[in-house]
Amino acid sequence: MLIVTSNEIPGHRIDAVFGEVMGLTVRSRDIGSQMLAGIRSLGGGELPEMTKALYESRQEVMARMVNEAQQRGANAIVAMRFDTSEMGTNWTEVCAYGTAVFAIPLKEGEPGATGQSIYLSSTAGQQQQA
């Protein structure tokens, strides 16, 4: 699944739009990590426990968003964004969202074709012949 933060995919033609897709999670911080992070925050610097939790949350919501897009028949997501917010004192919401589309790589000779799209369109043609 090709995921971009731009509204267009260079070298591709968007052939169908399936609408907004998203992945969402709400996480609570466990008391041990929260206390350890609180102590570490006194000295400044990165809080590895919180960084790990946020990274895992983002991976989870990305997977949920991709799954929703695939269920609709999409092969790409454009205009992808993350959103996070605090809910209460211990809960964090993480959301990934974008627009599910079907994107076709442009072939060699087509206006706007890129090296990547030419490669993708030629390998797709080879797979269909096999």
Side-chain angles (χ1 to χ4, degrees):
M1 173 83 47
L2 183 58
I3 302 170
V4 297
T5 57
S6 57
N7 293 330
E8 305 279 329
I9 304 171
H12 290 71
R13 180 181 75 245
I14 294 178
D15 199 50
V17 176
F18 299 105
E20 183 182 35
V21 290
M22 71 171 175
L24 178 71
T25 188
V26 177
R27 297 276 181 110
S28 66
R29 289 173 260 171
D30 70 81
I31 192 71
S33 291
Q34 193 170 344
M35 287 175 50
L36 185 56
I39 293 168
R40 286 187 189 202
S41 68
L42 296 174
E46 183 178 9
L47 305 173
E49 299 82 13
M50 296 298 149
T51 300
K52 181 181 177 199
L54 184 56
Y55 181 82
E56 289 172 353
S57 295
R58 284 184 171 215
Q59 294 299 326
E60 183 177 332
V61 298
M62 287 283 292
R64 290 177 180 175
M65 179 184 64
V66 165
N67 185 48
E68 185 177 335
Q70 287 172 331
Q71 288 178 356
R72 293 187 188 191
N75 68 350
I77 298 171
V78 297
M80 187 286 233
R81 303 286 187 269
F82 281 112
D83 187 28
T84 61
S85 61
E86 296 292 322
M87 299 178 67
T89 56
N90 292 327
W91 299 345
T92 302
E93 172 202 23
V94 180
C95 181
Y97 61 94
T99 303
V101 300
F102 192 84
I104 299 172
L106 300 174
K107 296 177 181 164
E108 188 170 7
E110 290 187 68
T114 63
Q116 180 185 26
S117 70
I118 293 166
Y119 171 77
L120 291 172
S121 63
S122 69
T123 56
Q126 290 171 0
Q127 288 176 352
Q128 288 177 352
Q129 292 175 359

